[in-house]
Amino acid sequence: MFKTRLLSGIVLVILALVTIISGGTVLWATCLILSLIGLHELYRAVGIESPQNKMLALAGYVGTAVHYLILLFQKETYSMISMVFILVLTMFVYVFAFPKYRSEQVMGTFFGVMYVAVMLSYIYQTRMLEDGAFLVWLIFFCSWGCDTCAYCVGVLFGKHKMSPKLSPKKSVEGAVGGVIGAGILGAVYAAAVSSHLTAHGNPILVYAVICIVGALISMVGDLAASAIKRNHDIKDYGKLIPGHGGILDRFDSVIFTAPMIYFLATALM
């Protein structure tokens, strides 16, 4: 299992390097595909999509595509229109298929688009910022970097459970180590790339602060995904990534850190 997980992780890193460095439509298309797969995993897990019922899920997929098309044509100011469109579309399916779907399924459909598609789209939006080629990597330092540091510190020093009912293996010591580790990663990274940045100010301090705040948020994302799985008695969202599970299993914290990095970067840089 460890070998499988390691090999899958290496492949993920290579794909991330290729798509993020390429940016543009390559990254846009990658984020769209990840969003659609992740949305499918969520809809299947919570009972919105099944072999017999697909129309409501289809509304979510169409809404996701509309949101990404707005981003592709750089019409971010109209993103709220896409949210209204998704809501109206899901309600259209709800009322004209009544009583096929329950109201909580309709709310779950809209939530899924926001939770998975819109949040993940901030990877692409961050990459499109000034200095975005460098800023976008903070998303992964805050999520995967924090997770790795938290695991190492937790194994060595973990004694106090952070959330015993939701994630009994996570410790307070590990969480602190993950946040500090992410901050250090951000500072070291900023020192390495500072000569290539166009933004003014102290990038080492700013990147460290962004990573610290992002790391805190990433843990919420990780626990949120675990809570949904526990509510629906599933171990993994999918089996797409050997040793890791599905897209949501691997990108659960990224979903939360991506928009946080985008907003912090626009505010602080």
Side-chain angles (χ1 to χ4, degrees):
M1 176 60 74
F2 174 76
K3 184 178 180 181
T4 301
R5 187 178 177 87
L6 178 62
L7 291 174
S8 296
I10 293 172
V11 171
L12 281 175
V13 170
I14 293 173
L15 290 175
L17 285 169
V18 171
T19 57
I20 293 174
I21 291 174
S22 299
T25 54
V26 173
L27 181 58
W28 175 86
T30 302
C31 289
L32 173 58
I33 292 169
L34 289 176
S35 295
L36 291 172
I37 296 173
L39 199 57
H40 169 68
E41 292 174 352
L42 181 66
Y43 285 168
R44 185 179 54 191
V46 302
I48 291 172
E49 182 176 5
S50 68
Q52 296 77 28
N53 296 320
K54 295 185 177 182
M55 285 302 297
L56 199 56
L58 181 60
Y61 301 142
V62 171
T64 294
V66 169
H67 174 71
Y68 271 89
L69 285 172
I70 287 174
L71 296 180
L72 179 64
F73 292 106
Q74 300 180 6
K75 301 295 184 181
E76 291 87 350
T77 53
Y78 296 102
S79 58
M80 183 56 69
I81 294 177
S82 71
M83 297 300 100
V84 174
F85 169 77
I86 295 165
L87 179 59
V88 171
L89 184 59
T90 54
M91 294 304 291
F92 180 91
V93 174
Y94 177 48
V95 297
F96 285 101
F98 192 84
K100 188 174 184 178
Y101 299 105
R102 301 186 305 274
S103 58
E104 55 266 30
Q105 289 178 299
V106 178
M107 289 183 282
T109 301
F110 184 75
F111 166 79
V113 176
M114 291 293 298
Y115 173 57
V116 181
V118 174
M119 301 278 267
L120 275 178
S121 73
Y122 279 97
I123 298 175
Y124 171 74
Q125 295 185 69
T126 301
R127 178 64 175 81
M128 297 299 289
L129 291 173
E130 183 181 13
D131 289 334
F134 301 102
L135 285 166
V136 69
W137 295 106
L138 299 183
I139 295 172
F140 302 97
F141 290 156
C142 292
S143 51
W144 296 347
C146 172
D147 188 49
T148 301
C149 292
Y151 175 78
C152 294
V153 173
V155 168
L156 293 173
F157 306 107
K159 292 181 179 180
H160 302 87
K161 300 299 182 183
M162 184 171 68
S163 182
K165 290 186 177 180
L166 188 55
S167 189
K169 292 183 179 180
K170 291 185 179 359
S171 65
V172 174
E173 292 82 1
V176 173
V179 172
I180 295 174
I184 293 173
L185 283 173
V188 171
Y189 174 67
V193 303
S194 59
S195 61
H196 302 285
L197 301 176
T198 60
H200 301 290
N202 185 342
I204 295 177
L205 177 61
V206 172
Y207 275 41
V209 170
I210 289 175
C211 282
I212 286 171
V213 176
L216 289 167
I217 298 299
S218 76
M219 289 186 284
V220 177
D222 186 11
L223 292 172
S226 297
I228 294 173
K229 286 192 288 187
R230 285 187 177 273
N231 279 158
H232 295 275
D233 297 319
I234 58 173
K235 183 179 183 295
D236 295 316
Y237 283 104
K239 299 179 180 179
L240 181 65
I241 309 171
H244 293 269
I247 293 298
L248 293 184
D249 295 297
R250 184 66 276 179
F251 287 83
D252 49 5
S253 55
V254 172
I255 286 172
F256 273 59
T257 56
M260 182 57 61
I261 300 307
Y262 175 87
F263 292 121
L264 284 172
T266 53
L268 299 176
M269 298 301 293

